[in-house]
Amino acid sequence: MQLISGFSRFFRSRWLTAFAPGLAVAMLSVAPQQAPAQSLFSPAIRVNQDIVTWYELDQRQRFLEILGIPGSSEAEVRKALIDERLRKQAMREAGIQPTPEDIQVAIDEFASRGQLTPDQFLKALADAGIDRETVRDYVSSQLAWRDYVSARFISQARPTDDEIDRAMGQTGGGGLQVLLSEIIIPVNAQTLAQAEALADEIARVETIDAFSAAATQYSAAPTRENGGRLDWLNVTNLPPALQPVILGLKNGEVTAPLSLPNAVALFQMRGLREVAAASTPRFSKIDYAAYYLPGGLSPETLQRAAELKETVDTCDDLYGIAKGQPPEVLDRVSASPSEIPRDIALELAKLDPNEVSTTLTRNNGQTLVFLMLCNRTRDLGEDTSREDVANALTQQRLQAFANSLVEQLRADATIIEQ
């Protein structure tokens, strides 16, 4: 039980259910859904010359359910195993398969996410009736397919210098945009350790649905109502130090927890795209205003901020609001992106000029920051390296090639399901 709870506290309810006393035996006694008079090892699906047995269907479904990974319904598991057979057939023709050493490295990494040794991880699954080969098949299929896609499409996926320039917004012809989800966990001196531990657990989630569920439950940002989902953002709007971190993520991957004033933040990559219009310039200066309201995130203060938002059209209007008050209630700042505090920079990245955010606090949560973006000054500098952009473009294109290939393989295949 201690081993299982160590794998992921975020999915603890699933783990505890799966490993409750006697349940492993009960799971083993439950026959997979199959037609009468068929054995576990008879074909459930035929994919060209290969088969998927009822046993494999049952094992994969149990494996995903125990780890709390979405996609564990019978229909979803069937589709996943069909796609795996198609990928294996393509790789077999190309003579590509993972070595035992590569598979073991993948299992080691998978187990380490739950702070388990490989033997502890495999034994815990075996106690629930999950065969070692089920784990090996799951990790080796992904590993070999990545190598195959890279070998087959890498020459087509590499961007040209002109494409990198355009993605960096240096030619006036376009740029990169990212689709992120966010979780902002508020902290104070008393809750810091607990918040950091929670953020560490959330950082290990592997699916968009799981991150969305965590955002709904734990995030203090307004986006929690939408599962933490942000709209498309220009990469150049993000804080310079965060740009290579975000560009290094694959779809579904989550950043390590980021420390902010009064909060811990996590971001998950949901998409990356190139845009044709000149919509992603770089900026040398960001002009913004921060008006401070006592009361933090209390309903009364948030209501006052909402009313204030309706009365101001530009940052200059805030001078009239602050007239007669102490000077420290209003900051008007013009700074380079790298000089702006990280939490403010992240909020400003979401705003257009004259838009407002009321997410941030100061003074240990007792003061609300009414944050308004005034203007951005364009710059053609290269804070994000060409290598970061090139790698991000390459990975995006490899994924597109892989998805297209699987769709074509499925269209050409003979698939018979029982």
Side-chain angles (χ1 to χ4, degrees):
M1 292 290 290
Q2 291 177 344
L3 297 180
I4 300 310
S5 63
F7 190 85
S8 175
R9 292 187 184 89
F10 182 69
F11 292 116
R12 179 173 293 179
S13 62
R14 291 180 180 267
W15 278 99
L16 293 179
T17 300
F19 288 92
L23 185 54
V25 176
M27 289 176 64
L28 288 171
S29 67
V30 177
Q33 298 180 12
Q34 56 178 299
Q38 287 184 322
S39 73
L40 283 171
F41 298 99
S42 63
I45 308 170
R46 295 184 184 273
V47 185
N48 294 325
Q49 72 274 25
D50 294 337
I51 65 169
V52 177
T53 67
W54 291 103
Y55 181 73
E56 288 176 277
L57 280 173
D58 178 60
Q59 282 279 297
R60 177 61 64 85
Q61 194 168 1
R62 291 183 183 185
F63 177 65
L64 297 179
E65 286 176 347
I66 287 172
L67 294 187
I69 299 175
S72 61
S73 71
E74 183 180 358
E76 291 169 316
V77 169
R78 278 178 172 267
K79 182 181 183 302
L81 288 173
I82 289 171
D83 288 348
E84 281 187 21
R85 288 297 190 274
L86 294 171
R87 292 196 293 262
K88 285 182 179 180
Q89 290 166 13
M91 291 185 289
R92 190 162 58 224
E93 291 182 5
I96 293 180
Q97 61 180 0
T99 66
E101 293 77 15
D102 289 338
I103 295 173
Q104 188 58 53
V105 168
I107 292 176
D108 293 350
E109 194 276 333
F110 204 84
S112 69
R113 298 173 191 175
Q115 301 177 344
L116 303 176
T117 66
D119 288 342
Q120 290 172 331
F121 176 57
L122 293 172
K123 183 180 184 304
L125 291 172
D127 289 343
I130 306 301
D131 189 78
R132 181 183 293 256
E133 289 304 312
T134 297
V135 184
R136 293 175 61 85
D137 287 346
Y138 182 79
V139 299
S140 66
S141 173
Q142 300 179 52
L143 182 69
W145 181 245
R146 180 194 64 196
D147 293 341
Y148 172 76
V149 168
S150 180
R152 179 166 176 173
F153 296 113
I154 188 65
S155 62
Q156 298 168 254
R158 287 197 181 103
T160 65
D161 286 341
D162 286 345
E163 287 171 331
I164 296 173
D165 288 341
R166 186 168 62 250
M168 297 180 74
Q170 294 180 348
T171 65
L176 281 181
Q177 293 185 333
V178 289
L179 193 61
L180 302 175
S181 294
E182 66 175 356
I183 294 177
I184 310 296
I185 304 173
V187 300
N188 55 42
Q190 291 72 38
T191 63
L192 177 60
Q194 182 181 2
E196 289 178 340
L198 174 62
D200 286 338
E201 296 296 342
I202 296 175
R204 299 190 185 107
V205 304
E206 298 183 340
T207 68
I208 290 172
D209 287 344
F211 191 90
S212 178
T216 300
Q217 183 172 0
Y218 299 113
S219 182
T223 52
R224 66 182 178 276
E225 302 296 336
N226 191 34
R229 293 176 176 85
L230 295 167
D231 293 330
W232 287 100
L233 295 174
N234 296 333
V235 169
T236 51
N237 282 11
L238 296 171
L242 188 58
Q243 292 176 21
V245 175
I246 295 299
L247 289 176
L249 297 175
K250 297 177 183 178
N251 278 358
E253 286 189 332
V254 181
T255 63
L258 305 172
S259 295
L260 307 175
N262 302 319
V264 178
L266 301 105
F267 295 90
Q268 182 182 53
M269 175 70 83
R270 291 171 26 236
L272 176 77
R273 71 182 183 186
E274 299 172 76
V275 290
S279 58
T280 59
R282 311 191 67 82
F283 304 103
S284 60
K285 293 289 183 181
I286 308 294
D287 182 15
Y288 68 94
Y291 180 61
Y292 302 102
L293 297 170
L297 295 173
S298 66
E300 295 79 11
T301 304
L302 290 173
Q303 178 61 34
R304 183 182 172 197
E307 294 170 354
L308 180 60
K309 189 184 299 187
E310 296 298 321
T311 64
V312 296
D313 296 319
T314 70
C315 292
D316 291 341
D317 294 337
L318 290 173
Y319 289 112
I321 301 295
K323 186 176 180 179
Q325 301 180 51
E328 57 268 22
V329 304
L330 176 64
D331 286 334
R332 181 70 180 266
V333 179
S334 181
S336 67
S338 60
E339 296 171 337
I340 299 173
R342 179 183 281 175
D343 61 336
I344 290 178
L346 287 171
E347 286 302 305
L348 292 174
K350 309 170 193 175
L351 303 178
D352 291 327
N354 300 318
E355 287 187 338
V356 171
S357 164
T358 56
T359 297
L360 305 180
T361 63
R362 289 293 185 265
N363 189 27
N364 203 24
Q366 300 304 305
T367 301
L368 179 70
V369 182
F370 185 92
L371 181 67
M372 193 170 192
L373 174 63
C374 309
N375 193 23
R376 295 185 177 100
T377 302
R378 183 168 178 169
D379 179 37
L380 296 181
E382 295 189 16
D383 290 324
T384 301
S385 74
R386 296 179 65 83
E387 182 180 0
D388 292 330
V389 173
N391 288 338
L393 288 174
T394 300
Q395 291 303 317
Q396 176 202 29
R397 294 172 182 182
L398 286 175
Q399 185 60 53
F401 281 129
N403 293 341
S404 178
L405 177 57
V406 171
E407 290 177 5
Q408 185 60 52
L409 291 172
R410 179 180 275 270
D412 295 340
T414 299
I415 301 170
I416 303 172
E417 298 192 56
Q418 302 293 326

